[in-house]
């Protein structure tokens, strides 16, 4: 359950109880004292309406299963606030006589007490359910965090392995380049050796021919 909603809810319950007491006390007053109390009650009702709007906005921003429970509670609070507004109108109108007003106040207080008892029972039950839901949500969140940490660790390992593979690949490319250069060097040396062999063979042939000519002319 939202801690923000709970804070607004506590403020509203305290304010509603205070306004109910003021309505009861104001019914017995007259003149300026009554006007002053009525002004205080109206200001409190405006504050209560603001709290209900805040609770409504907070409830609608939560998950659907929690939102449905909180909106049901808000409907009860709105009904309670409407009862307070009706009571203030009756106090301000002054059309009711003292006996009728007392009877209405007693009836209203009885209804309010009954409604408050029912609301407290529902609130306790709802709070227990929300507490269990909150525990399940916390457990799910903890599991998600553990899964996220495991995923991050796996990604780090994969990144390290990728870096190792890239390094090995670069090393292989370097070896390939060295092998290519060595192959070219061996090819050039082989070509030079072949040319040298041809040159030596040619020189030997020339020398043999020269010696043969010299021997021929000497023997002749």
């Amino acid at each position: 359950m939202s801690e923000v909603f709970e804070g607004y809810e506590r403020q509203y319950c305290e304010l509603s109880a205070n306004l109910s007491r003021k309505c009861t006390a104001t019914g017995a007053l007259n003149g300026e004292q009554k006007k002053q109390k009525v002004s205080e009650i109206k200001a409190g009702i405006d504050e209560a309406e603001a709290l209900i709007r805040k609770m409504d906005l907070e409830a609608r921003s939560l998950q659907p299963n929690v939102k449905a429970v909180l909106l049901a509670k808000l409907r009860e609070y709105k009904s309670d606030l409407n009862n307070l507004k009706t009571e203030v109108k009756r106090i301000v109108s002054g059309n009711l006589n003292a006996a009728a007003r007392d009877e209405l106040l007693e009836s209203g207080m009885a209804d309010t007490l009954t409604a408050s008892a029912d609301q407290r029972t529902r609130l306790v039950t709802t709070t227990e359910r929300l507490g269990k839901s909150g525990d399940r949500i916390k457990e799910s969140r903890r599991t998600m965090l553990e899964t996220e940490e495991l995923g991050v660790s796996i990604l780090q390992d994969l990144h390290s392995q990728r870096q190792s593979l890239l390094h090995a690949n670069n090393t292989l490319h370097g070896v390939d380049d060295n092998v290519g250069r060595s192959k070219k060097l061996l090819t050039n040396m082989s070509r030079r050796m072949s040319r040298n062999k041809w040159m030596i063979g040619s020189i030997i042939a020339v020398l043999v021919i020269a010696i043969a000519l010299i021997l021929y002319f000497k023997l002749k």
Side-chain angles (χ1 to χ4, degrees), residues 22-30 34 91 101-102 105:
K22 285 184 178 181
C23 286
T24 303
T26 304
L29 298 177
N30 291 310
K34 184 175 181 179
I91 293 172
R101 184 168 59 248
D102 292 340
L105 287 175

Side-chain angles (χ1 to χ4, degrees), residues 159-205:
H159 179 72
S160 177
Q161 293 175 6
R162 181 176 179 273
Q163 293 297 325
S164 299
L165 290 173
L166 289 175
H167 179 70
N169 188 38
N170 292 333
T171 302
L172 288 175
H173 279 302
V175 172
D176 288 340
D177 293 339
N178 291 330
V179 170
R181 285 195 293 270
S182 299
K183 185 177 180 181
K184 289 180 180 179
L185 180 61
L186 290 173
T187 301
N188 292 332
M189 290 176 64
S190 177
R191 290 176 180 173
R192 289 175 184 174
M193 289 176 65
S194 297
R195 285 198 298 270
N196 290 335
K197 286 180 180 179
W198 281 105
M199 290 176 65
I200 293 172
S202 299
I203 293 171
I204 291 173

Side-chain angles (χ1 to χ4, degrees), residues 59 62-71 129-130 133-134 136-137:
L62 300 176
Q63 297 177 352
N65 56 340
V66 179
K67 179 174 70 174
V69 176
L70 297 183
L71 290 178
R129 286 201 302 268
L130 290 176
S133 299
R136 288 195 296 269
I137 291 172

Side-chain angles (χ1 to χ4, degrees), residues 137-176:
I137 291 172
K138 288 180 181 178
E139 182 66 21
S140 300
R141 186 173 297 172
R142 185 180 65 81
T143 304
M144 288 176 61
L145 290 175
E146 291 177 353
T147 305
E148 183 179 356
E149 290 177 357
L150 179 61
V152 170
S153 177
I154 292 173
L155 288 175
Q156 290 176 347
D157 291 340
L158 290 174
H159 179 72
S160 177
Q161 293 175 6
R162 181 176 179 273
Q163 293 297 325
S164 299
L165 290 173
L166 289 175
H167 179 70
N169 188 38
N170 292 333
T171 302
L172 288 175
H173 279 302
V175 172
D176 288 340

